[in-house]
Amino acid sequence: MDRMDQKQNVLLRLPAERLYAKELEALKEADQDPKPAGWQLSPRSELTFITGRHAGSVNIT
């Protein structure tokens, strides 16, 4: 593997889905609002994920 291939395989940071997996799972479990087709969370839970608060006993940062 040459140097260019090695650079392409470097992960700069984890994707949000992995970094915040516990928070997203807590939001999914606590979400009782209707979800648009194809969404995993309701718009209200999406807003909570972006702005922060809590879902159950998990703080959303």
Side-chain angles (χ1 to χ4, degrees):
M1 187 179 288
D2 68 7
R3 194 171 178 97
M4 186 61 132
D5 288 336
Q6 290 175 346
K7 285 184 179 181
Q8 290 177 347
N9 289 330
V10 173
L11 184 64
L12 298 178
R13 68 177 179 92
L14 293 174
E17 292 84 354
R18 290 185 57 197
L19 281 174
Y20 303 104
K22 289 180 184 177
E23 294 178 9
L24 289 167
E25 190 59 36
L27 284 167
K28 286 179 193 176
E29 289 177 10
D31 196 359
Q32 297 181 357
D33 295 320
K35 299 161 193 70
W39 288 36
Q40 294 184 25
L41 296 172
S42 67
R44 184 175 304 215
S45 288
E46 294 282 349
L47 182 62
T48 300
F49 179 70
I50 293 167
T51 60
R53 285 191 67 181
H54 62 275
S57 62
V58 177
N59 286 331
I60 307 300
T61 57

